Amino acid sequence: MAKSTLSFVCRNCGAAYNRWQGKCESCGEWNTLAEEDTSGSVPVSIRSKRKGRTFALESLAGRSPDAPRLSSGMTELDRVTGGGFVRGSVLLVGGDPGIGKSTLLTQATSLLARAGHRVVYISGEEAVAQVRLRAERLGLSDAPVQLAAETSVEDIVSTLSEGAVPRLIVIDSIQTMWTDTVESAPGTVTQVRASAQALIRFAKKTGAAIILVGHVTKDGQIAGPRVVEHMVDAVMSFEGEGSQQFRILRAVKNRFGPTDEIGVFEMTGLGLREVTNPSELFLSERDLGTPGTAVFAGIEGTRPVLVELQALVAPTSLGTPRRAVVGWDPSRLSMVLAVLEAHCGVKLSGHDVYLNVAGGLRINEPAADLAAAAALVSSLVNAQLPTDAVYFGEISLSGVVRPVAQTPARLKEAAKLGFQRAVLPESARGETSADAGLSLNAVNSLTTLVAEIAARGSRRGESNGPAEKNATPARFRRGDG
């Protein structure tokens, strides 16, 4: 028999240590180390004693058939996966508890089952009756989805191997699965890794597509060893705020499609509804006429999305002003604030700054710099921005507004939603052949935009003495800027 080897493995990140300690040095979490037997994932008695067999090697010049895809029947889900589920692929879907992962997969499996495909839903957390209750609430109880409540990987593989190979298998969730090849308890790093490996091997052998549901930690990362994310073909994150009805499906990794596409859903009483026009949904509750709000024309993958940026600049009595941002990169906000103070004379060292992306969307592209700067200056001088204008452009450290990609698509989406003006980089004028009749305000430097907004605030006659004075440098008031 093999000698038993014990180690202490972090349940959060999978790091292994020779002795127990209170804090994991890899991820920084406390009390996450658990004792596990790592002598081998397969007992010696069932290990093969034979020599390895030879196999044929192929050339890179060979022609491989295109991977056939299986459409889920949900346009937003197919957009994120790259056109549908690829045969033999394994997807890992993570998200906060109660965000709607099971609801999304129940709807997708029901649509596929109604289309005549064999679909199996394996639940390790709920009983079959509970899954049926959800399907009945969603109006999907008549879909011929095959259900089971099982956690043994060996039993699952044996059952699925009988009869026709399922086109789609949902495992909810991978943290509840366990295999006989390891002796650790279900949910541990070793069990999650071994169970995922067995299911992936079954998918590659039979050609069935498998969706694994994964738990997340308190900071939003998928729980368990990171090696599982490397083993699967795609990793998707289901995001959203519990207080809002918007849900966003985002691909973090995808071997068969893009990773910059998003799928937008709306949570309703009858489940998740696909949002074909996210811009209209994100702008449906705009508070027109409020200083500190600007509409950003962004791009998510190949889809233009218009979203509102909200800024609040308020005086502070603290020695260190607070900087809070939701939905955008905090480092990007710090850079924009530094450029405003260094090149535009906007003094924000005595003010708290809050920035929010309305609707729960997370923006990653630097094209939002110009919209964020406009919203910040508008809030500081209490000046209302035009309600029919959109903003986009990247700000350099020298204060120059740089061009961004896909300008015609941004302008076309803005015109479709009724906007009449666009503030964009000066160098992007040559790309505006499809501007759809919008009035373009091209700016070359951030100082020009700040001067326009500050002048609009002064004309309103607001008595914000110190803030307006700080936001309007002397060169702008003399008109020689």
Side-chain angles (χ1 to χ4, degrees):
M1 294 181 61
K3 182 180 179 181
S4 177
T5 304
L6 297 178
S7 65
F8 297 87
V9 182
C10 177
R11 292 191 297 265
N12 183 49
C13 66
Y17 302 90
N18 294 328
R19 59 184 180 84
W20 186 89
Q21 57 191 35
K23 181 180 180 180
C24 175
E25 298 176 355
S26 178
C27 64
E29 294 292 329
W30 288 87
N31 298 324
T32 57
L33 269 65
E35 182 178 345
E36 294 188 14
D37 186 359
T38 59
S39 57
S41 58
V42 181
V44 177
S45 58
I46 62 176
R47 292 179 189 171
S48 177
K49 302 290 186 179
R50 65 176 179 83
K51 294 183 179 181
R53 63 177 178 85
T54 59
F55 54 89
L57 300 175
E58 298 185 9
S59 171
L60 281 175
R63 178 176 293 181
S64 299
D66 295 334
R69 293 182 179 271
L70 175 65
S71 176
S72 65
M74 304 180 70
T75 306
E76 296 297 304
L77 180 57
D78 290 342
R79 178 191 299 272
V80 180
T81 57
F85 303 117
V86 178
R87 287 180 54 88
S89 63
V90 180
L91 293 78
L92 178 62
V93 179
D96 294 332
I99 202 66
K101 301 184 298 296
S102 299
T103 301
L104 174 66
L105 297 178
T106 301
Q107 294 182 222
T109 53
S110 299
L111 291 174
L112 283 172
R114 286 175 175 175
H117 302 289
R118 186 191 178 193
V119 181
V120 180
Y121 192 105
I122 305 294
S123 176
E125 300 177 348
E126 299 175 294
V128 172
Q130 294 173 313
V131 180
R132 288 173 176 168
L133 284 176
R134 184 191 305 116
E136 183 179 355
R137 175 175 58 85
L138 300 175
L140 304 172
S141 56
D142 60 332
V145 178
Q146 298 178 324
L147 302 177
E150 185 58 55
T151 57
S152 173
V153 173
E154 283 76 17
D155 295 345
I156 293 174
V157 171
S158 178
T159 302
L160 296 179
S161 300
E162 296 181 355
V165 177
R167 293 301 304 272
L168 181 66
I169 304 168
V170 174
I171 305 295
D172 188 6
S173 64
I174 188 60
Q175 275 79 12
T176 61
M177 299 293 118
W178 61 277
T179 174
D180 293 333
T181 58
V182 295
E183 299 179 357
S184 302
T188 58
V189 172
T190 305
Q191 278 286 4
V192 171
R193 182 171 54 243
S195 300
Q197 186 176 12
L199 293 171
I200 292 173
R201 188 165 54 249
F202 173 79
K204 303 303 180 184
K205 180 180 178 181
T206 61
I210 297 181
I211 299 179
L212 306 177
V213 179
H215 296 168
V216 296
T217 59
K218 61 182 180 181
D219 58 351
Q221 301 294 325
I222 297 180
R226 294 301 298 269
V227 68
V228 175
E229 298 185 34
H230 294 284
M231 293 162 57
V232 298
D233 298 303
V235 180
M236 299 182 183
S237 176
F238 203 40
E239 307 168 355
E241 298 291 337
S243 59
Q244 297 179 343
Q245 70 271 28
F246 312 126
R247 300 292 186 268
I248 298 174
L249 182 65
R250 188 186 304 270
V252 181
K253 168 192 173 182
N254 194 353
R255 290 174 179 166
F256 307 110
T259 58
D260 52 2
E261 294 283 1
I262 63 170
V264 183
F265 302 87
E266 181 182 7
M267 180 63 75
T268 65
L270 297 177
L272 292 167
R273 181 181 69 87
E274 297 182 75
V275 179
T276 57
N277 191 351
S279 302
E280 187 175 359
L281 182 64
F282 290 139
L283 299 177
S284 60
E285 300 179 358
R286 288 183 63 199
D287 189 5
L288 300 177
T290 302
T293 60
V295 177
F296 165 59
I299 294 289
E300 290 289 342
T302 58
R303 164 192 284 175
V305 176
L306 269 60
V307 66
E308 184 183 46
L309 297 186
Q310 303 169 347
L312 176 62
V313 180
T316 181
S317 58
L318 302 176
T320 303
R322 185 173 183 183
R323 306 287 187 256
V325 57
V326 177
W328 202 38
D329 186 6
S331 302
R332 203 77 193 174
L333 174 63
S334 301
M335 188 209 73
V336 172
L337 295 177
V339 173
L340 285 172
E341 185 157 353
H343 298 287
C344 304
V346 180
K347 305 299 181 182
L348 294 170
S349 57
H351 294 77
D352 290 334
V353 175
Y354 302 88
L355 186 70
N356 175 50
V357 179
L361 183 67
R362 190 178 75 247
I363 298 175
N364 297 320
E365 60 172 336
D369 292 350
L370 196 63
L376 291 169
V377 177
S378 169
S379 176
L380 181 63
V381 303
N382 198 23
Q384 175 187 347
L385 296 176
T387 58
D388 60 349
V390 295
Y391 299 79
F392 60 91
E394 180 183 356
I395 298 175
S396 65
L397 292 179
S398 61
V400 176
V401 181
R402 303 181 59 189
V404 294
Q406 304 187 43
T407 296
R410 302 173 195 264
L411 297 177
K412 184 177 180 180
E413 180 72 10
K416 186 174 67 174
L417 294 179
F419 289 89
Q420 300 178 2
R421 286 184 275 182
V423 181
L424 71 167
E426 175 70 34
S427 54
R429 276 188 178 275
E431 306 177 23
T432 56
S433 58
D435 56 5
L438 267 70
S439 175
L440 304 180
N441 180 13
V443 293
N444 187 40
S445 64
L446 186 58
T447 55
T448 304
L449 180 63
V450 172
E452 294 176 359
I453 299 175
R456 186 180 299 114
S458 62
R459 284 197 300 268
R460 292 178 58 199
E462 298 291 340
S463 57
N464 298 25
E468 187 172 333
K469 181 179 179 182
N470 288 337
T472 310
R475 61 179 181 273
F476 294 152
R477 294 196 295 270
R478 291 196 303 266
D480 56 356

